[in-house]
Amino acid sequence: MKRLVCVLLMLVAGRLGAADFDYRLTAVQVAKDVYAFIGKTEDFSTDNGGNIVNTAFIVAAQGVIVIDSGPSLRYGQQMRRAIASVTAKPIALVINTHHHPDHFLGNQAFADVPIAALAETRNGIAADGNAFAENLYRMSGDWMKGTEVQLPGKTLSAGIVDVAGRRLRLVALDGHTGADLVVVDPASGVVFAGDLAFNGRAPTTPHADVAHWLLALEQLEGLTREAGFKVLLPGHGAPTADAAPIRQTRAWLTWLSGAMRAAAKDGLDMNDVLARPLPAEFASLPVAASEYRRSVGHLFPAAELQALGAKP
Amino acid sequence: MKYPLTIAAIALAALMPPAEAAALRESGDPLDSARWSEMQKAFLAGAPVLFDPRVKVVAPSTAENPMQVPVTVDATALSGVAEVVVFADFNPIVQVLRFFPEDAPAFLGFRVKLQQSTPVRAAVRTADGVWHVGGTWVNTVGGGCTAPSAAGGSKEWQQRLNEVSGRQWSEGPNAGRLRMRIVHPMDTGLVAGTPAFFLEEINFADASGKRLMRVQTYEPVSENPVFTLQRATADGPVEASGRDNNGNAFKARIAQ
Ligand SMILES: [Zn+2]
């Protein structure tokens, strides 16, 4: 027993030594005046502190436009410092693409500037923000210290907007959540896809409507076919110069929803569905096994309802 | 570590595959739960107990949604099963359900609300009076029993209370399977202001009126329960009937 305690203490000490709570954010230039912080294609953990998400910023004529603020106060603060090392311009606006915690819990570090989101995203953050934050405290530990929900104060709607002297096109879609904002920056040719597109990582589905998501991917792919398109920045995973993340996300969702329907139709129980192996096509995709498990919980009950002939 | 076995258990072990026989034991909870002796007193008092790998309890090792943790109990490797009691050592309400497989195999799938990480166990009483115990640990990040049911906020379920939907499968890999869902909030009474309101009894009978299985359900069974049964011979429709603790009765036919 005594030995066990010693080993545990060493583990704790080791952990403390390693975690200086520095996300080591490095701005990667993805186009002229456009930069991104690329997160790991992992699950939330006390090792990565929730740095599993892509955030970005545009250096516009009169200021900086920030797209998503990361998973914690510390992330937001470090992000702001990293932006300041690229440009001396002030932050003009922070945009939250959707109401998932890794995309808005850094807002606190930008409390002195306007923060904006679609109306339904604002409602979602107001309703679920605290529960999400609590969850991240459990998964990411002390990286979250001091993090509180900072609601976006401004409402965005679809269309052309002028921010800090930059013309942006806002495309309001849904499917990953009830409201998913895609930001198109015509000046650089960058499409900020938010979590409608995942690259090299299994998509997450806690608030997904798969049918809507697939429709949204059609529209998103259309944006990549427009003249002037240069870069697609997915919500998770590396940016690309083509629509590959869209196709990947579509392939996963199509398989996943089909598999849920077929399993329910065949009379499988949720444990039977959980025990199924992943198809070879997806088996090596990062976090595929854990996202599949979660998605069974999110999506199988609806498929089951239909197979059992229940009213939704 | 060795666990001494009685003569009866040794005789039993001789009939089992070596790997399973090696896992049989009469003392020393294989799940190493601090509450085992309490559980034993509450549910199995005075009767012989055997930790038996033939009692299969399947559940995810990590519950992604503590309100809907799928559990499958399969005791079909035992013969002469009279009663199965399912409990979760560390749940605020420990007892999940009991089922009596009369003319159906000792197999039941369902979903349960868990408040924290806990063993989920099935104790299976065979005709000789021995309790065969199987189980598995489920880790969860809590909230299942003291979170309000989704129905709590809406009035819609009141019109649909006890509405049954279901299906049987007569061919394919799941031939003989029956699945049933019933609309019910299954309120635990642990949420302030919401009294306990849950299904208490469900009976499954075949077309001739012969009972396949009786299930006694308790508060921890998930909202809008879904049950999976396996029929020995799938012929004809099944009638499901039962009631909740407020006396609301239901009866429904599940076609084949
Ligand atoms: Zn998301």
Side-chain angles (χ1 to χ4, degrees):
Chain A
M1 189 62 195
K2 207 178 216 168
R3 214 177 63 201
L4 181 65
V5 171
C6 288
V7 171
L8 285 175
L9 282 175
M10 273 157 56
L11 280 175
V12 170
R15 180 71 29 107
L16 285 177
D20 51 8
F21 304 113
D22 185 344
Y23 287 103
R24 297 187 169 76
L25 296 177
T26 315
V28 177
Q29 187 164 12
V30 296
K32 187 173 183 305
D33 298 328
V34 180
Y35 299 81
F37 300 102
I38 307 296
K40 299 191 164 78
T41 49
E42 298 173 356
D43 271 327
F44 292 101
S45 75
T46 51
D47 290 326
N48 61 39
N51 183 15
I52 61 156
V53 62
N54 296 341
T55 59
F57 63 99
I58 302 168
V59 182
Q62 288 133 40
V64 178
I65 305 159
V66 172
I67 296 164
D68 285 337
S69 61
S72 68
L73 169 61
R74 288 187 211 260
Y75 183 102
Q77 289 166 334
Q78 291 171 29
M79 181 187 183
R80 202 163 173 175
R81 279 201 295 276
I83 294 170
S85 72
V86 173
T87 173
K89 289 180 184 173
I91 310 283
L93 180 71
V94 176
I95 294 172
N96 296 142
T97 57
H98 65 293
H99 89 306
H100 280 162
D102 44 336
H103 298 261
F104 73 78
L105 280 176
N107 283 2
Q108 240 176 318
F110 300 93
D112 58 324
V113 299
I115 304 175
L118 293 170
E120 203 175 328
T121 302
R122 293 183 62 195
N123 294 339
I125 294 174
D128 300 333
N130 285 328
F132 290 160
E134 226 176 274
N135 225 342
L136 284 208
Y137 270 94
R138 273 196 292 264
M139 292 189 286
S140 308
D142 283 342
W143 289 86
M144 293 293 294
K145 199 171 168 198
T147 303
E148 276 170 36
V149 174
Q150 172 79 41
L151 289 174
K154 281 183 63 176
T155 303
L156 295 173
S157 40
I160 307 290
V161 288
D162 196 299
V163 185
R166 190 95 162 189
R167 217 181 108 245
L168 298 179
R169 188 165 143 212
L170 305 180
V171 184
L173 301 173
D174 70 300
H176 172 66
T177 65
D180 298 289
L181 180 65
V182 173
V183 178
V184 182
D185 177 33
S188 66
V190 178
V191 173
F192 301 87
D195 278 4
L196 288 172
F198 284 70
N199 188 20
R201 184 207 194 274
T204 65
T205 61
H207 305 95
D209 178 322
V210 174
H212 284 217
W213 194 341
L214 289 170
L215 288 173
L217 288 175
E218 291 305 309
Q219 287 189 255
L220 189 59
E221 191 158 17
L223 297 175
T224 68
R225 284 198 213 97
E226 289 181 6
F229 164 78
K230 287 212 175 62
V231 175
L232 178 83
L233 181 68
H236 300 262
T240 56
D242 57 19
I246 298 172
R247 290 191 291 269
Q248 226 182 76
T249 305
R250 181 188 293 130
W252 172 272
L253 292 174
T254 304
W255 160 71
L256 182 66
S257 56
M260 294 303 103
R261 275 194 303 272
K265 202 163 152 262
D266 287 347
L268 266 61
D269 179 90
M270 200 186 272
N271 277 320
D272 301 327
V273 185
L274 288 169
R276 293 200 132 182
L278 292 171
E281 185 188 353
F282 302 116
S284 59
L285 191 64
V287 300
S290 53
E291 290 305 343
Y292 173 71
R293 274 199 309 274
R294 285 184 204 120
S295 291
V296 170
H298 304 144
L299 304 177
F300 184 66
E304 189 175 59
L305 212 64
Q306 208 176 15
L308 296 181
K311 283 181 256 164
Chain B
M1 223 184 298
K2 276 257 187 279
Y3 295 91
L5 292 180
T6 59
I7 302 291
I10 291 166
L12 186 63
L15 303 170
M16 294 167 65
E20 289 193 345
L24 267 187
R25 45 160 114 166
E26 288 170 317
S27 60
D29 172 21
L31 299 182
D32 216 5
S33 152
R35 296 197 70 183
W36 166 247
S37 59
E38 218 177 306
M39 295 299 108
Q40 185 171 9
K41 251 178 250 145
F43 294 108
L44 322 171
V49 169
L50 202 56
F51 293 104
D52 192 329
R54 290 171 299 177
V55 177
K56 299 201 168 27
V57 178
V58 180
S61 58
T62 301
E64 304 293 350
N65 178 1
M67 303 285 285
Q68 297 274 349
V69 182
V71 177
T72 307
V73 175
D74 182 352
T76 52
L78 292 171
S79 51
V81 173
E83 175 181 8
V84 180
V85 48
V86 178
F87 52 92
D89 299 19
F90 290 100
N91 233 23
I93 299 170
V94 170
Q95 183 161 226
V96 175
L97 57 78
R98 273 173 201 268
F99 67 95
F100 304 84
E102 294 177 17
D103 217 44
F107 177 100
L108 188 66
F110 49 93
R111 301 209 269 265
V112 59
K113 303 184 279 271
L114 296 180
Q115 182 66 12
Q116 57 175 311
S117 300
T118 177
V120 176
R121 310 192 196 246
V124 180
R125 185 169 55 81
T126 42
D128 55 6
V130 174
W131 285 104
H132 303 256
V133 179
T136 185
W137 268 96
V138 178
N139 296 303
T140 154
V141 282
C145 276
T146 51
S149 60
S154 84
K155 290 276 164 240
E156 202 217 347
W157 62 263
Q158 291 182 349
Q159 281 99 52
R160 297 181 54 186
L161 185 73
N162 285 345
E163 187 179 287
V164 172
S165 50
R167 242 194 90 177
Q168 294 192 66
W169 281 261
S170 53
E171 49 195 46
N174 292 307
R177 188 163 271 205
L178 178 152
R179 306 199 70 219
M180 182 192 88
R181 176 183 188 267
I182 179 161
V183 175
H184 205 286
M186 298 300 287
D187 286 315
T188 57
L190 298 175
V191 181
T194 309
F197 182 38
F198 57 97
L199 288 164
E200 279 186 331
E201 184 164 314
I202 303 169
N203 291 289
F204 296 92
D206 71 12
S208 70
K210 192 170 189 185
R211 191 149 66 184
L212 302 170
M213 187 183 284
R214 178 160 71 91
V215 186
Q216 283 175 6
T217 46
Y218 299 93
E219 296 92 324
V221 172
S222 299
E223 178 179 9
N224 300 331
V226 181
F227 296 97
T228 305
L229 281 74
Q230 201 69 42
R231 294 181 73 180
T233 46
D235 61 280
V238 165
E239 188 186 84
S241 62
R243 55 170 176 73
D244 63 28
N245 65 329
N246 283 7
N248 301 302
F250 71 91
K251 189 179 276 193
R253 209 175 105 109
I254 299 167
Q256 194 174 13

mmCIF file of all heavy atoms in Angstrom, chain B residues 66-81:
data_model
loop_
_atom_site.group_PDB
_atom_site.id
_atom_site.type_symbol
_atom_site.label_atom_id
_atom_site.label_comp_id
_atom_site.label_asym_id
_atom_site.label_seq_id
_atom_site.Cartn_x
_atom_site.Cartn_y
_atom_site.Cartn_z
ATOM 1 N N PRO B 66 -24.821 8.877 -18.940
ATOM 2 C CA PRO B 66 -25.207 8.163 -17.713
ATOM 3 C C PRO B 66 -26.712 7.998 -17.551
ATOM 4 O O PRO B 66 -27.161 7.236 -16.713
ATOM 5 C CB PRO B 66 -24.627 9.039 -16.593
ATOM 6 C CG PRO B 66 -24.428 10.383 -17.203
ATOM 7 C CD PRO B 66 -24.167 10.163 -18.666
ATOM 8 N N MET B 67 -27.505 8.714 -18.367
ATOM 9 C CA MET B 67 -28.962 8.577 -18.317
ATOM 10 C C MET B 67 -29.437 7.339 -19.072
ATOM 11 O O MET B 67 -30.564 6.903 -18.888
ATOM 12 C CB MET B 67 -29.642 9.801 -18.956
ATOM 13 C CG MET B 67 -29.277 11.129 -18.368
ATOM 14 S SD MET B 67 -30.072 11.383 -16.795
ATOM 15 C CE MET B 67 -31.753 11.738 -17.327
ATOM 16 N N GLN B 68 -28.604 6.840 -19.973
ATOM 17 C CA GLN B 68 -29.012 5.738 -20.857
ATOM 18 C C GLN B 68 -27.847 4.780 -21.031
ATOM 19 O O GLN B 68 -27.241 4.707 -22.096
ATOM 20 C CB GLN B 68 -29.432 6.296 -22.232
ATOM 21 C CG GLN B 68 -30.642 7.210 -22.243
ATOM 22 C CD GLN B 68 -31.968 6.440 -22.357
ATOM 23 O OE1 GLN B 68 -31.991 5.230 -22.631
ATOM 24 N NE2 GLN B 68 -33.079 7.134 -22.129
ATOM 25 N N VAL B 69 -27.524 4.037 -19.990
ATOM 26 C CA VAL B 69 -26.406 3.096 -20.074
ATOM 27 C C VAL B 69 -26.965 1.725 -20.483
ATOM 28 O O VAL B 69 -27.762 1.139 -19.751
ATOM 29 C CB VAL B 69 -25.673 2.974 -18.728
ATOM 30 C CG1 VAL B 69 -24.477 2.033 -18.855
ATOM 31 C CG2 VAL B 69 -25.240 4.350 -18.226
ATOM 32 N N PRO B 70 -26.566 1.222 -21.656
ATOM 33 C CA PRO B 70 -27.126 -0.056 -22.083
ATOM 34 C C PRO B 70 -26.551 -1.223 -21.270
ATOM 35 O O PRO B 70 -25.348 -1.279 -21.033
ATOM 36 C CB PRO B 70 -26.707 -0.156 -23.552
ATOM 37 C CG PRO B 70 -25.493 0.708 -23.668
ATOM 38 C CD PRO B 70 -25.636 1.800 -22.635
ATOM 39 N N VAL B 71 -27.429 -2.100 -20.819
ATOM 40 C CA VAL B 71 -27.002 -3.284 -20.054
ATOM 41 C C VAL B 71 -27.686 -4.498 -20.679
ATOM 42 O O VAL B 71 -28.883 -4.461 -20.961
ATOM 43 C CB VAL B 71 -27.409 -3.171 -18.568
ATOM 44 C CG1 VAL B 71 -27.034 -4.439 -17.802
ATOM 45 C CG2 VAL B 71 -26.761 -1.951 -17.918
ATOM 46 N N THR B 72 -26.918 -5.543 -20.919
ATOM 47 C CA THR B 72 -27.478 -6.795 -21.411
ATOM 48 C C THR B 72 -27.103 -7.899 -20.432
ATOM 49 O O THR B 72 -25.930 -8.065 -20.107
ATOM 50 C CB THR B 72 -26.919 -7.129 -22.815
ATOM 51 O OG1 THR B 72 -27.117 -6.012 -23.670
ATOM 52 C CG2 THR B 72 -27.610 -8.352 -23.399
ATOM 53 N N VAL B 73 -28.107 -8.608 -19.936
ATOM 54 C CA VAL B 73 -27.856 -9.728 -19.025
ATOM 55 C C VAL B 73 -28.171 -11.019 -19.782
ATOM 56 O O VAL B 73 -29.274 -11.180 -20.311
ATOM 57 C CB VAL B 73 -28.743 -9.629 -17.765
ATOM 58 C CG1 VAL B 73 -28.555 -10.871 -16.887
ATOM 59 C CG2 VAL B 73 -28.413 -8.367 -16.988
ATOM 60 N N ASP B 74 -27.183 -11.889 -19.829
ATOM 61 C CA ASP B 74 -27.352 -13.156 -20.535
ATOM 62 C C ASP B 74 -26.946 -14.288 -19.592
ATOM 63 O O ASP B 74 -25.764 -14.483 -19.319
ATOM 64 C CB ASP B 74 -26.488 -13.156 -21.795
ATOM 65 C CG ASP B 74 -26.663 -14.435 -22.614
ATOM 66 O OD1 ASP B 74 -27.337 -15.381 -22.127
ATOM 67 O OD2 ASP B 74 -26.132 -14.492 -23.737
ATOM 68 N N ALA B 75 -27.954 -15.000 -19.075
ATOM 69 C CA ALA B 75 -27.676 -16.140 -18.194
ATOM 70 C C ALA B 75 -28.139 -17.434 -18.855
ATOM 71 O O ALA B 75 -28.460 -18.410 -18.184
ATOM 72 C CB ALA B 75 -28.366 -15.940 -16.845
ATOM 73 N N THR B 76 -28.149 -17.421 -20.197
ATOM 74 C CA THR B 76 -28.677 -18.590 -20.907
ATOM 75 C C THR B 76 -27.745 -19.799 -20.800
ATOM 76 O O THR B 76 -28.143 -20.908 -21.141
ATOM 77 C CB THR B 76 -28.930 -18.260 -22.396
ATOM 78 O OG1 THR B 76 -27.728 -17.696 -22.935
ATOM 79 C CG2 THR B 76 -30.062 -17.262 -22.556
ATOM 80 N N ALA B 77 -26.514 -19.600 -20.342
ATOM 81 C CA ALA B 77 -25.612 -20.743 -20.179
ATOM 82 C C ALA B 77 -25.961 -21.551 -18.928
ATOM 83 O O ALA B 77 -25.437 -22.655 -18.730
ATOM 84 C CB ALA B 77 -24.164 -20.252 -20.112
ATOM 85 N N LEU B 78 -26.827 -21.001 -18.070
ATOM 86 C CA LEU B 78 -27.268 -21.738 -16.879
ATOM 87 C C LEU B 78 -28.624 -22.372 -17.172
ATOM 88 O O LEU B 78 -29.423 -21.819 -17.910
ATOM 89 C CB LEU B 78 -27.434 -20.772 -15.705
ATOM 90 C CG LEU B 78 -26.174 -20.131 -15.140
ATOM 91 C CD1 LEU B 78 -26.546 -19.047 -14.142
ATOM 92 C CD2 LEU B 78 -25.309 -21.190 -14.478
ATOM 93 N N SER B 79 -28.884 -23.504 -16.532
ATOM 94 C CA SER B 79 -30.228 -24.061 -16.695
ATOM 95 C C SER B 79 -30.997 -23.900 -15.394
ATOM 96 O O SER B 79 -30.411 -23.728 -14.325
ATOM 97 C CB SER B 79 -30.148 -25.529 -17.128
ATOM 98 O OG SER B 79 -29.297 -26.224 -16.249
ATOM 99 N N GLY B 80 -32.300 -23.926 -15.518
ATOM 100 C CA GLY B 80 -33.153 -23.823 -14.338
ATOM 101 C C GLY B 80 -33.121 -22.460 -13.690
ATOM 102 O O GLY B 80 -33.150 -22.338 -12.461
ATOM 103 N N VAL B 81 -33.090 -21.404 -14.494
ATOM 104 C CA VAL B 81 -33.071 -20.040 -13.932
ATOM 105 C C VAL B 81 -34.478 -19.660 -13.459
ATOM 106 O O VAL B 81 -35.437 -19.681 -14.227
ATOM 107 C CB VAL B 81 -32.571 -19.021 -14.969
ATOM 108 C CG1 VAL B 81 -32.714 -17.594 -14.439
ATOM 109 C CG2 VAL B 81 -31.116 -19.315 -15.333
#
